Amino acid sequence: MSATAPLALPPPPPVQSDWALFLDVDGCLLDFADAPEAVVVPEGLADALARLSRALGGALAFVSGRRIVQLDALFAPLRFPSAGLHGLELREAADLAHVPDAAPEALRQARDAAERIAAGYPGARVEDKGIAIALHWRAAPAARASLEATAAAALAQLPGYRLQYGNCVVELRPAHADKGQAVQRLMGATPFAGRLPVYAGDDLTDEDAFAATNALGGVSVRIGHREPTYATHTLADTAALRAWLSEAAARLGARA
């Protein structure tokens, strides 16, 4: 991956009606919060996404580290096609989901160990995602070294797992899926097939999706200034992404 200066990347073009739009959620569509359950969906965003989805013939999906059930709760009553747990869960339509297997015992032991450490750092969080766990230190930076060491030690007991680093978080999760594979799978399904893929994300976990989107001839949009990146375009922050989407919802929705 080659480093690219933030100012060298252009903003994305206006959303077009023949696109398939894939959106990361935390740190991209929504602002980060100290705890995953504390994020806020800004007023008007769900309505804009619903109008934009209709204008795209339903070809709008979330691709997130969250579980699909969490995405549904955030945007209820809307249910978009979604990839959860970095692609381990996949719902190609509003009513069909592929759910991963149960967590191994070694992961439950790692969770318990991480929770004991987090208890000593007010603000540190252990997020149980079923088949994966996420160790958060956004509100407790001093916990980072201990939580990272716990995750690394647990990895040795979890064949087929990997460490996934993100923004103030490390996850223990199965290695057989990523966001790039999720984009590829969704692009093979109705209503995404035959459209131009466009992916927006902010984190290291989104680089696989940027690379997959580029390989399909699409548009990859980095939110923020993290480097290096495979992204071909950039927007400054979550507010800029939401404004870009709202403009598209108003423009394309008026034609639908």
Side-chain angles (χ1 to χ4, degrees):
M1 188 186 304
S2 59
T4 304
L7 294 179
L9 295 179
V15 178
Q16 302 300 309
S17 60
D18 63 346
W19 285 8
L21 191 57
F22 302 99
L23 302 171
D24 178 35
V25 178
D26 292 272
C28 177
L29 188 60
L30 304 181
D31 295 312
F32 281 121
D34 286 344
E37 64 272 18
V39 298
V40 174
V41 178
E43 184 177 356
L45 177 59
D47 179 65
L49 292 173
R51 286 185 289 137
L52 187 53
S53 178
R54 289 193 295 270
L56 297 177
L60 184 152
F62 293 141
V63 182
S64 174
R66 289 180 181 266
R67 303 196 71 169
I68 290 177
V69 66
Q70 293 176 303
L71 298 174
D72 289 347
L74 278 173
F75 293 93
L78 302 176
R79 287 169 58 91
F80 296 105
S82 298
L85 297 179
H86 307 285
L88 290 167
E89 294 181 333
L90 190 70
R91 183 172 67 204
E92 297 166 353
D95 58 352
L96 176 66
H98 302 283
V99 180
D101 296 330
E105 177 60 27
L107 186 68
R108 292 191 286 272
Q109 294 173 356
R111 178 200 62 203
D112 293 343
E115 287 178 342
R116 288 192 293 271
I117 289 173
Y121 296 91
R125 301 293 298 267
V126 178
E127 183 183 4
D128 188 344
K129 299 184 176 184
I131 199 171
I133 58 172
L135 314 183
H136 298 267
W137 59 81
R138 176 175 301 280
R144 176 176 181 171
S146 295
L147 290 176
E148 286 184 331
T150 298
L155 185 64
Q157 307 302 319
L158 288 163
Y161 269 65
R162 60 174 290 190
L163 294 183
Q164 177 69 67
Y165 286 88
N167 196 312
C168 298
V169 62
V170 62
E171 295 191 35
L172 278 161
R173 69 174 186 84
H176 62 266
D178 60 45
K179 289 184 176 182
Q181 293 169 348
V183 169
Q184 292 171 335
R185 291 174 66 183
L186 286 168
M187 283 300 296
T190 303
F192 304 95
R195 290 174 169 267
L196 181 77
V198 179
Y199 187 96
D202 71 300
D203 207 345
L204 181 62
T205 63
D206 297 304
E207 291 297 331
D208 292 321
F210 291 157
T213 299
N214 295 345
L216 293 170
V219 176
S220 50
V221 186
R222 179 196 58 196
I223 309 305
H225 305 291
R226 190 192 53 76
E227 302 181 87
T229 184
Y230 286 124
T232 58
H233 296 73
T234 192
L235 288 167
D237 50 30
T238 55
L241 175 66
R242 292 192 294 263
W244 183 66
L245 296 172
S246 294
E247 183 280 329
R251 174 172 44 84
L252 297 177
R255 301 176 187 174

